[in-house]
Amino acid sequence: MTERRIMDIATSISAINSSENAILDAICKLQQKITNPKLVLAYFSEHHDETLIKNILHEQYPDAQVLGCSSCRGVMTDEGYNYGDSIALWAMCDYNGAFGTALVSTNQSPFEMAQQAVLRAIENSGRPGELPALILLHATPGNEEDVIKGIEHELGASIPIIGGSAADDFVSGNWKLFTHEHTSQHGVGVCVFYPSCQVSYSFHSGYANTNQSAVVTKVEGREIVELDNEPAINIYEKWLDKSLSQASNIINESSLNPLGRVVGKVHELEYYKLAHPLKVTERGGIELFATVEESETVFCMMGTDERLITRAGRVIDSANDVGRKGELDPIGGITIYCAGCMLKVQDRMHEVASYVNHAMHQAPFVSPFTFGEQGQFIGGENAHGNLMISAVLFHRDEYAKF
């Protein structure tokens, strides 16, 4: 008796500078691996024309759901790390599964846009009234916590969310999103998954607590104004034992020492979500890529280049272990890798790709570099963080036989 897989995943990537030639090249490569996908994800550099990419993808795959998101200075796939202008495609063909995408860009609050996006995505999936197994989230940076709250308000907090905030090359607002329906530089993009196979996921920081902490005593938006009733930068400089220029970009200086907050415990071990310091404000505050609340305790976390390089593989190994029994046979996956981490170890990203490939058992995967990561922790909490890795794996455990 032969067996026909009911589900397949494939990827392709093109480094051609011309948007038209690049997307046509990526599609041509993809067609050699998979036919009639129900879902196509596209990750691309900021210089590419998102409207042209959208139109060509919709013309080529008129029956597929599509979601696109810009990535910082390149993309990584199972073919390796590609720096600079590139377009990567990730496609899923699932005979018994269903998928739906939606992009909402309005003057409403991020909470309301998220509500509308997830409901529209479910409608587009053709599975009204049925909760998805997984939600992929790509929003523009700034209010990701509210976006997660909006999704959970509609569907509850138990459905795992994996995602990454749209990025550009220099944090200058040139990030982009699109679906097969339209494009936007501001909004909430969502894909809901109803796959016919098992899904596992993982969300980790890979940083250690230095046991230096302070209480947030004043915040405004995403700026911590005061820690322990002092200008926040004073406390942070003490932790790092070095001076940081006032009102300057400190992304690189802070990438190994983000601020951590306890999310929960597993076997008495605490796990954290991270906030990456972006810059020092004129009044001595610290602007972040995540929202921190007054009265929260924040810890100075510590990472190393070696941890940044190896942890992507460890996160995928962790996802492989979730709910799995017997021999592993992943069909493919999606990995969300922080742009700040990528920039810190950029000259060794080929090693990161090698670790991910090994952990994925050489199955196809795509990994954009994002300005914020979303995932579900082992304790079941969906959260937004920075300098983190989120991963989802689809496992080959169901076949159609004839």
mmCIF file of all heavy atoms in Angstrom, residues 316-343:
data_model
loop_
_atom_site.group_PDB
_atom_site.id
_atom_site.type_symbol
_atom_site.label_atom_id
_atom_site.label_comp_id
_atom_site.label_asym_id
_atom_site.label_seq_id
_atom_site.Cartn_x
_atom_site.Cartn_y
_atom_site.Cartn_z
ATOM 1 N N ILE A 316 13.641 25.344 19.108
ATOM 2 C CA ILE A 316 12.977 24.384 18.224
ATOM 3 C C ILE A 316 13.001 22.988 18.842
ATOM 4 O O ILE A 316 12.019 22.243 18.759
ATOM 5 C CB ILE A 316 13.634 24.401 16.838
ATOM 6 C CG1 ILE A 316 13.345 25.741 16.163
ATOM 7 C CG2 ILE A 316 13.130 23.252 15.974
ATOM 8 C CD1 ILE A 316 14.145 26.002 14.930
ATOM 9 N N ASP A 317 14.109 22.624 19.489
ATOM 10 C CA ASP A 317 14.144 21.343 20.210
ATOM 11 C C ASP A 317 13.051 21.296 21.269
ATOM 12 O O ASP A 317 12.396 20.269 21.468
ATOM 13 C CB ASP A 317 15.511 21.144 20.869
ATOM 14 C CG ASP A 317 16.568 20.686 19.883
ATOM 15 O OD1 ASP A 317 16.186 20.096 18.854
ATOM 16 O OD2 ASP A 317 17.760 20.922 20.135
ATOM 17 N N SER A 318 12.844 22.428 21.946
ATOM 18 C CA SER A 318 11.795 22.494 22.960
ATOM 19 C C SER A 318 10.419 22.311 22.336
ATOM 20 O O SER A 318 9.560 21.611 22.873
ATOM 21 C CB SER A 318 11.863 23.827 23.695
ATOM 22 O OG SER A 318 10.841 23.949 24.647
ATOM 23 N N ALA A 319 10.207 22.942 21.175
ATOM 24 C CA ALA A 319 8.929 22.771 20.477
ATOM 25 C C ALA A 319 8.743 21.333 20.025
ATOM 26 O O ALA A 319 7.634 20.791 20.059
ATOM 27 C CB ALA A 319 8.853 23.718 19.284
ATOM 28 N N ASN A 320 9.823 20.697 19.617
ATOM 29 C CA ASN A 320 9.759 19.285 19.230
ATOM 30 C C ASN A 320 9.319 18.405 20.382
ATOM 31 O O ASN A 320 8.658 17.378 20.194
ATOM 32 C CB ASN A 320 11.135 18.812 18.744
ATOM 33 C CG ASN A 320 11.291 18.905 17.244
ATOM 34 O OD1 ASN A 320 10.369 18.597 16.506
ATOM 35 N ND2 ASN A 320 12.460 19.348 16.794
ATOM 36 N N ASP A 321 9.671 18.808 21.601
ATOM 37 C CA ASP A 321 9.377 17.988 22.778
ATOM 38 C C ASP A 321 7.962 18.169 23.292
ATOM 39 O O ASP A 321 7.481 17.361 24.085
ATOM 40 C CB ASP A 321 10.350 18.326 23.912
ATOM 41 C CG ASP A 321 11.753 17.853 23.605
ATOM 42 O OD1 ASP A 321 11.895 16.961 22.748
ATOM 43 O OD2 ASP A 321 12.705 18.382 24.210
ATOM 44 N N VAL A 322 7.285 19.240 22.898
ATOM 45 C CA VAL A 322 5.965 19.540 23.444
ATOM 46 C C VAL A 322 4.925 18.569 22.894
ATOM 47 O O VAL A 322 4.596 18.589 21.710
ATOM 48 C CB VAL A 322 5.539 20.990 23.124
ATOM 49 C CG1 VAL A 322 4.105 21.235 23.598
ATOM 50 C CG2 VAL A 322 6.485 21.974 23.792
ATOM 51 N N GLY A 323 4.428 17.707 23.741
ATOM 52 C CA GLY A 323 3.325 16.825 23.366
ATOM 53 C C GLY A 323 3.680 15.757 22.352
ATOM 54 O O GLY A 323 2.801 15.133 21.774
ATOM 55 N N ARG A 324 4.988 15.530 22.121
ATOM 56 C CA ARG A 324 5.372 14.556 21.111
ATOM 57 C C ARG A 324 5.765 13.229 21.745
ATOM 58 O O ARG A 324 6.370 13.188 22.803
ATOM 59 C CB ARG A 324 6.564 15.082 20.294
ATOM 60 C CG ARG A 324 6.233 16.310 19.453
ATOM 61 C CD ARG A 324 5.274 15.971 18.338
ATOM 62 N NE ARG A 324 5.859 15.013 17.433
ATOM 63 C CZ ARG A 324 5.175 14.301 16.558
ATOM 64 N NH1 ARG A 324 3.873 14.416 16.496
ATOM 65 N NH2 ARG A 324 5.782 13.474 15.743
ATOM 66 N N LYS A 325 5.435 12.155 21.084
ATOM 67 C CA LYS A 325 5.845 10.837 21.528
ATOM 68 C C LYS A 325 6.400 10.084 20.325
ATOM 69 O O LYS A 325 5.921 10.220 19.207
ATOM 70 C CB LYS A 325 4.659 10.070 22.117
ATOM 71 C CG LYS A 325 4.083 10.702 23.387
ATOM 72 C CD LYS A 325 2.914 9.898 23.914
ATOM 73 C CE LYS A 325 2.337 10.529 25.163
ATOM 74 N NZ LYS A 325 1.175 9.769 25.686
ATOM 75 N N GLY A 326 7.431 9.295 20.580
ATOM 76 C CA GLY A 326 7.975 8.504 19.504
ATOM 77 C C GLY A 326 8.905 9.299 18.605
ATOM 78 O O GLY A 326 9.416 10.356 18.959
ATOM 79 N N GLU A 327 9.138 8.795 17.408
ATOM 80 C CA GLU A 327 10.089 9.393 16.482
ATOM 81 C C GLU A 327 9.559 10.713 15.928
ATOM 82 O O GLU A 327 8.399 10.829 15.545
ATOM 83 C CB GLU A 327 10.361 8.425 15.330
ATOM 84 C CG GLU A 327 11.434 8.918 14.374
ATOM 85 C CD GLU A 327 11.716 7.911 13.275
ATOM 86 O OE1 GLU A 327 11.194 6.782 13.379
ATOM 87 O OE2 GLU A 327 12.449 8.264 12.333
ATOM 88 N N LEU A 328 10.441 11.719 15.863
ATOM 89 C CA LEU A 328 10.070 13.036 15.365
ATOM 90 C C LEU A 328 10.159 13.067 13.848
ATOM 91 O O LEU A 328 11.081 12.535 13.256
ATOM 92 C CB LEU A 328 10.994 14.096 15.956
ATOM 93 C CG LEU A 328 10.962 14.243 17.479
ATOM 94 C CD1 LEU A 328 12.044 15.220 17.921
ATOM 95 C CD2 LEU A 328 9.604 14.717 17.933
ATOM 96 N N ASP A 329 9.190 13.713 13.223
ATOM 97 C CA ASP A 329 9.205 13.847 11.771
ATOM 98 C C ASP A 329 8.508 15.142 11.383
ATOM 99 O O ASP A 329 7.411 15.135 10.833
ATOM 100 C CB ASP A 329 8.502 12.648 11.125
ATOM 101 C CG ASP A 329 8.739 12.597 9.615
ATOM 102 O OD1 ASP A 329 9.592 13.371 9.129
ATOM 103 O OD2 ASP A 329 8.065 11.807 8.944
ATOM 104 N N PRO A 330 9.111 16.295 11.698
ATOM 105 C CA PRO A 330 8.453 17.564 11.380
ATOM 106 C C PRO A 330 8.326 17.780 9.881
ATOM 107 O O PRO A 330 9.217 17.458 9.103
ATOM 108 C CB PRO A 330 9.364 18.609 12.021
ATOM 109 C CG PRO A 330 10.694 17.940 12.141
ATOM 110 C CD PRO A 330 10.411 16.493 12.357
ATOM 111 N N ILE A 331 7.178 18.298 9.476
ATOM 112 C CA ILE A 331 6.951 18.658 8.082
ATOM 113 C C ILE A 331 7.639 19.976 7.764
ATOM 114 O O ILE A 331 8.139 20.197 6.662
ATOM 115 C CB ILE A 331 5.444 18.790 7.800
ATOM 116 C CG1 ILE A 331 4.713 17.525 8.212
ATOM 117 C CG2 ILE A 331 5.174 19.105 6.340
ATOM 118 C CD1 ILE A 331 3.207 17.709 8.284
ATOM 119 N N GLY A 332 7.646 20.882 8.721
ATOM 120 C CA GLY A 332 8.229 22.196 8.533
ATOM 121 C C GLY A 332 7.849 23.100 9.685
ATOM 122 O O GLY A 332 7.156 22.683 10.614
ATOM 123 N N GLY A 333 8.301 24.343 9.616
ATOM 124 C CA GLY A 333 7.999 25.242 10.710
ATOM 125 C C GLY A 333 8.258 26.694 10.391
ATOM 126 O O GLY A 333 8.707 27.053 9.296
ATOM 127 N N ILE A 334 7.951 27.535 11.365
ATOM 128 C CA ILE A 334 8.177 28.974 11.286
ATOM 129 C C ILE A 334 8.934 29.372 12.543
ATOM 130 O O ILE A 334 8.559 28.986 13.654
ATOM 131 C CB ILE A 334 6.844 29.752 11.223
ATOM 132 C CG1 ILE A 334 5.995 29.282 10.043
ATOM 133 C CG2 ILE A 334 7.106 31.258 11.144
ATOM 134 C CD1 ILE A 334 4.554 29.769 10.118
ATOM 135 N N THR A 335 9.997 30.137 12.370
ATOM 136 C CA THR A 335 10.783 30.628 13.488
ATOM 137 C C THR A 335 10.831 32.148 13.429
ATOM 138 O O THR A 335 11.122 32.719 12.381
ATOM 139 C CB THR A 335 12.216 30.072 13.448
ATOM 140 O OG1 THR A 335 12.175 28.647 13.456
ATOM 141 C CG2 THR A 335 13.029 30.558 14.627
ATOM 142 N N ILE A 336 10.522 32.793 14.533
ATOM 143 C CA ILE A 336 10.577 34.253 14.623
ATOM 144 C C ILE A 336 11.833 34.612 15.401
ATOM 145 O O ILE A 336 11.972 34.271 16.576
ATOM 146 C CB ILE A 336 9.332 34.820 15.328
ATOM 147 C CG1 ILE A 336 8.049 34.292 14.675
ATOM 148 C CG2 ILE A 336 9.365 36.337 15.328
ATOM 149 C CD1 ILE A 336 7.829 34.716 13.244
ATOM 150 N N TYR A 337 12.770 35.311 14.752
ATOM 151 C CA TYR A 337 14.073 35.626 15.343
ATOM 152 C C TYR A 337 14.222 37.140 15.453
ATOM 153 O O TYR A 337 14.035 37.866 14.472
ATOM 154 C CB TYR A 337 15.190 35.043 14.478
ATOM 155 C CG TYR A 337 16.546 34.970 15.132
ATOM 156 C CD1 TYR A 337 16.963 33.807 15.794
ATOM 157 C CD2 TYR A 337 17.426 36.045 15.087
ATOM 158 C CE1 TYR A 337 18.214 33.730 16.382
ATOM 159 C CE2 TYR A 337 18.683 35.976 15.673
ATOM 160 C CZ TYR A 337 19.067 34.819 16.324
ATOM 161 O OH TYR A 337 20.311 34.746 16.912
ATOM 162 N N CYS A 338 14.549 37.611 16.637
ATOM 163 C CA CYS A 338 14.629 39.053 16.887
ATOM 164 C C CYS A 338 15.689 39.720 16.015
ATOM 165 O O CYS A 338 16.823 39.239 15.896
ATOM 166 C CB CYS A 338 14.948 39.297 18.361
ATOM 167 S SG CYS A 338 15.296 41.015 18.750
ATOM 168 N N ALA A 339 15.333 40.869 15.417
ATOM 169 C CA ALA A 339 16.272 41.608 14.576
ATOM 170 C C ALA A 339 17.467 42.093 15.393
ATOM 171 O O ALA A 339 18.604 42.116 14.906
ATOM 172 C CB ALA A 339 15.565 42.785 13.916
ATOM 173 N N GLY A 340 17.226 42.495 16.654
ATOM 174 C CA GLY A 340 18.327 42.952 17.489
ATOM 175 C C GLY A 340 19.347 41.866 17.739
ATOM 176 O O GLY A 340 20.563 42.112 17.730
ATOM 177 N N CYS A 341 18.876 40.634 17.942
ATOM 178 C CA CYS A 341 19.795 39.506 18.118
ATOM 179 C C CYS A 341 20.546 39.218 16.827
ATOM 180 O O CYS A 341 21.758 38.951 16.840
ATOM 181 C CB CYS A 341 19.017 38.271 18.560
ATOM 182 S SG CYS A 341 18.237 38.422 20.177
ATOM 183 N N MET A 342 19.823 39.265 15.707
ATOM 184 C CA MET A 342 20.465 39.020 14.415
ATOM 185 C C MET A 342 21.594 40.022 14.176
ATOM 186 O O MET A 342 22.703 39.655 13.760
ATOM 187 C CB MET A 342 19.427 39.095 13.302
ATOM 188 C CG MET A 342 19.978 38.894 11.893
ATOM 189 S SD MET A 342 20.606 40.411 11.108
ATOM 190 C CE MET A 342 19.082 41.325 10.859
ATOM 191 N N LEU A 343 21.340 41.303 14.441
ATOM 192 C CA LEU A 343 22.353 42.327 14.201
ATOM 193 C C LEU A 343 23.554 42.151 15.121
ATOM 194 O O LEU A 343 24.687 42.468 14.733
ATOM 195 C CB LEU A 343 21.742 43.713 14.386
ATOM 196 C CG LEU A 343 20.662 44.100 13.364
ATOM 197 C CD1 LEU A 343 20.012 45.416 13.754
ATOM 198 C CD2 LEU A 343 21.251 44.193 11.962
#
